[in-house]
Amino acid sequence: MKPKFRTLRRRYHELVNSQTVSLDGIRVDARADVVGHDVRREIIRGTYEFAERKLLAQVLRSSDRVVEMGAGIGAIGLLASRLIGAENVTSFEANPALEAVIRSNYGNPSF
């Protein structure tokens, strides 16, 4: 099931020029100059890694450990940290250009 009110959500965030956006209880950087225009659009619409976020919420248990290969902007790792604790999550990203956005997102957790 897709996020509800995608158009209204997008228009609101574009109108107020949101710098961060909440996805499933985590805050992620939504600045186009940091994440790119396409990723910003998906974050604002609530569709960024939507299937992965929903699956993670359904299958993770408190005793699980997560190793994330290819952290991207860190959204999945942050959600996993919120669900099972940061001490149980290890994320890796090979692209050094994404380090700044990952650090920014991990510096803003709302869990």
Side-chain angles (χ1 to χ4, degrees):
M1 185 168 156
K2 293 185 178 178
K4 296 178 182 176
F5 307 110
R6 288 179 301 179
T7 302
L8 182 61
R9 175 185 169 101
R10 178 183 53 82
R11 287 184 179 160
Y12 167 77
H13 285 294
E14 288 174 353
L15 178 67
V16 299
N17 193 26
S18 296
Q19 302 299 300
T20 62
V21 174
S22 178
L23 296 173
D24 297 330
I26 59 162
R27 296 204 65 77
V28 294
D29 197 328
R31 295 175 294 163
D33 61 324
V34 175
V35 298
H37 293 285
D38 292 340
V39 173
R40 175 181 168 75
R41 182 174 41 253
E42 293 299 313
I43 291 170
I44 286 174
R45 290 178 71 199
T47 58
Y48 182 75
E49 296 188 338
F50 181 76
E52 294 89 341
R53 293 188 345 253
K54 294 303 167 202
L55 181 63
L56 200 66
Q58 291 174 358
V59 301
L60 274 186
R61 303 291 175 248
S62 60
S63 61
D64 288 343
R65 304 287 187 269
V66 172
V67 176
E68 178 186 26
M69 305 300 288
I73 66 168
I76 296 301
L78 278 170
L79 180 58
S81 294
R82 184 170 85 45
L83 295 171
I84 62 171
E87 68 279 2
N88 298 317
V89 179
T90 303
S91 297
F92 296 95
E93 175 54 56
N95 183 350
L98 292 173
E99 182 179 355
V101 71
I102 293 168
R103 287 187 183 278
S104 172
N105 285 334
Y106 272 79
N108 286 329
S110 47
F111 54 90

